[in-house]
């Protein structure tokens, strides 16, 4: 019989120690975490980037990943798009009574695999167990710290007219993969989430150009919301070309069937880069060298501010306004 997590595993007593030692430290242990002090103590130099994110995806296992991988990649990417080098993460688990220890092991193993790939360490954390029905198997919060080298100023406020917009790959893969698993929708070709740590890809493009003004990962709200946020923060408008935006055939088909727009579907392994025009081709070429950027494309440019923040030229030569997402078409996908 599969062992289950019990309320007593969150009591702070010996059963809690058992979970921490046997299910977490055995996989994620390192000299800082193993001390089990109330705070992680470490040294860092330079400007510090600090972020946090909570993950409540349902189902917790989906094609291409799970909630554990998502929790590491999301925080690593939030640090990276600010030009930071991610160093340390915290990990807080809220576990519903009844989760199997096998599932917990799979999730912690995914956390370790993603952290190892990104080169970050889990240095502090917390584990709570709540009554059955008070959570949905497991919720995860991660916070992350990274350092920003001198001279780097990357922000959503820095887009300028004439800048080019680069997208690192196909959009909508994560949202449609999770929806497919949750609703039992089958597709002709297997579709997987794009969940991935992008810190190495981003470090590579920062090596070839110091003219990157903005970066952002288009997660909840999709590409449309990300571009609207940049336009709003920078006081500019953005024009994109529909036929240059990479979309997988399976995603396009699913969106057409379900009445969804790929521009609003979440991604977990993509980055939008706003760069000075003279470096755009150089940055694009570098992105394409990385395994997570092979379908990258220049999809548009920043323009002077006008009535609409983001507009899209269609293949028919017409233009339409691309608004920020209103409501929630796909609940709990990250």
């Amino acid at each position: 019989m599969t062992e289950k997590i019990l309320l007593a595993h969150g009591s702070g007593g010996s059963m809690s120690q058992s979970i921490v030692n046997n299910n977490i430290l055995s996989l994620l242990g390192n000299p800082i975490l193993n001390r089990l002090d109330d705070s992680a103590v470490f040294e860092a130099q330079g400007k510090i980037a600090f972020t946090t994110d909570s993950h409540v995806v349902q189902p917790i296992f989906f094609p291409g990943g799970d909630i554990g991988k998502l929790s590491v990649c999301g925080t690593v990417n939030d640090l990276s798009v600010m030009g930071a080098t991610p160093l340390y993460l915290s990990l807080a688990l809220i576990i519903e009574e009844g989760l199997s220890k096998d599932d917990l092991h799979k999730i912690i193993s995914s956390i370790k695999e993603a952290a190892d790939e990104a080169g970050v360490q889990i240095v502090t954390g917390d584990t709570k167990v709540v009554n059955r029905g008070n959570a949905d198997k497991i919720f995860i919060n991660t916070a992350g710290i990274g350092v920003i080298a001198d001279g780097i100023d990357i922000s959503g406020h820095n887009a300028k007219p004439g800048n080019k917009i680069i997208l690192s790959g196909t959009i909508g893969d994560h949202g449609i993969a999770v929806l497919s698993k949750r609703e039992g929708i089958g597709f002709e070709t297997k579709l997987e989430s794009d969940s991935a740590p992008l810190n190495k890809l981003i470090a590579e493009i920062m090596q070839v150009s110091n003219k990157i003004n903005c970066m952002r990962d288009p997660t909840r709200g999709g590409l449309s919301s990300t571009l609207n946020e940049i336009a709003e923060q920078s006081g500019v408008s953005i024009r994109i070309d529909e036929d240059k935006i990479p979309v997988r055939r399976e995603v396009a088909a699913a969106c057409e069937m379900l009445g969804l727009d790929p521009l609003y579907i979440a991604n977990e392994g993509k980055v939008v880069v706003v760069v000075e025009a003279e470096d755009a081709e150089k940055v694009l070429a570098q992105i394409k060298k990385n395994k997570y950027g092979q379908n990258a494309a220049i999809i548009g440019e920043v323009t002077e501010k006008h009535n609409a923040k983001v507009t899209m030229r269609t293949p028919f030569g017409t233009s339409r306004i691309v608004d920020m997402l209103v409501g929630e078409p796909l609940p709990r996908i990250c």
Side-chain angles (χ1 to χ4, degrees), residues 58-70:
Q58 193 277 326
I60 57 175
F61 298 101
F62 48 82
D66 58 46
I67 192 170
K69 181 179 183 180
L70 205 59

Side-chain angles (χ1 to χ4, degrees), residues 17 19-43 72 87-93 108 111-112 115-116 120-127 141-143:
Q17 284 189 337
I19 285 290
V20 170
N21 291 329
N22 299 329
N23 296 87
I24 299 176
L25 288 184
S26 61
L27 289 171
L28 303 181
N30 57 65
I32 300 176
L33 182 63
N34 291 349
R35 292 177 65 86
L36 294 179
D37 285 331
D38 283 351
S39 297
V41 179
F42 52 82
E43 294 183 355
V72 172
L87 296 177
Y88 302 115
L89 268 58
S90 70
L91 175 70
L93 307 175
I108 301 299
I111 289 171
K112 174 178 170 48
D116 286 349
V120 298
Q121 289 185 309
I122 310 294
V123 295
T124 189
D126 183 48
T127 303
N141 174 272
T142 46

